[in-house]
Amino acid sequence: MSDETKKHVMIGIVVACLLLAGTIMYNSFSDGGGGGGTGDRQIALMCAECGGFEVSVDEYREMMTQQGPEAMMMPGQMQAMECPKCGKKSCMPAQKCQKCENIFVFGQARDKNYPDRCPKCNYSEMEDFTQQ
Ligand SMILES: [Zn+2]
Ligand SMILES: [Zn+2]
């Protein structure tokens, strides 16, 4: 992998983290006023034991609270979280493909420069977004 490609991947991962954090923050805000803004929004997670699944924003926020501040996402050092299903520390934030609903971990398709590219159908929301 060339340095240039590595840089793209890094930037992509950081952007993905920011997007994810922003989404959660936005959702936290939007239901702070009691307006019930979270709706049925789901956060995708990938557990090494249980595979991919989704939790509600509330459940996810609870998970984050239990992890403590040191578990907040740092670019390049995302930590595994405790899985709400099996209780093991093998859960990572994941991405759900908009096209085929496959759940996967960011950056799985490493030879491509968009970390949110679905390894199954090759669709990348980020690529779609940047090309508009
Ligand atoms: Zn699990
Ligand atoms: Zn897909």
Side-chain angles (χ1 to χ4, degrees):
M1 194 192 273
S2 75
D3 280 354
E4 195 57 27
T5 314
K6 263 187 203 155
K7 223 193 304 184
H8 276 298
V9 172
M10 276 311 294
I11 291 168
I13 290 170
V14 171
V15 169
C17 290
L18 288 176
L19 280 177
L20 193 69
T23 308
I24 294 155
M25 222 96 88
Y26 174 77
N27 279 310
S28 305
F29 265 114
S30 63
D31 79 347
T38 53
D40 56 355
R41 168 133 197 135
Q42 302 274 289
I43 308 263
L45 295 169
M46 174 65 78
C47 172
E49 304 286 333
C50 317
F53 61 95
E54 288 179 296
V55 294
S56 70
V57 173
D58 283 344
E59 283 174 291
Y60 184 77
R61 211 183 300 153
E62 203 161 293
M63 280 174 71
M64 290 308 280
T65 313
Q66 283 169 4
Q67 310 303 318
E70 73 276 9
M72 287 310 284
M73 282 179 286
M74 299 286 285
Q77 40 173 284
M78 258 203 264
Q79 292 189 24
M81 295 179 290
E82 204 169 285
C83 173
K85 290 192 170 192
C86 66
K88 289 184 182 157
K89 264 202 176 248
S90 48
C91 212
M92 297 287 282
Q95 170 91 10
K96 187 180 182 184
C97 177
Q98 302 291 314
K99 293 265 181 214
C100 71
E101 307 206 326
N102 178 37
I103 292 177
F104 59 97
V105 177
F106 288 127
Q108 202 168 317
R110 282 183 186 283
D111 51 331
K112 312 288 199 331
N113 41 11
Y114 291 96
D116 73 333
R117 190 184 295 284
C118 173
K120 212 170 182 180
C121 72
N122 252 2
Y123 173 73
S124 163
E125 205 182 335
M126 220 178 272
E127 180 182 50
D128 223 32
F129 181 75
T130 53
Q131 285 180 355
Q132 271 166 15

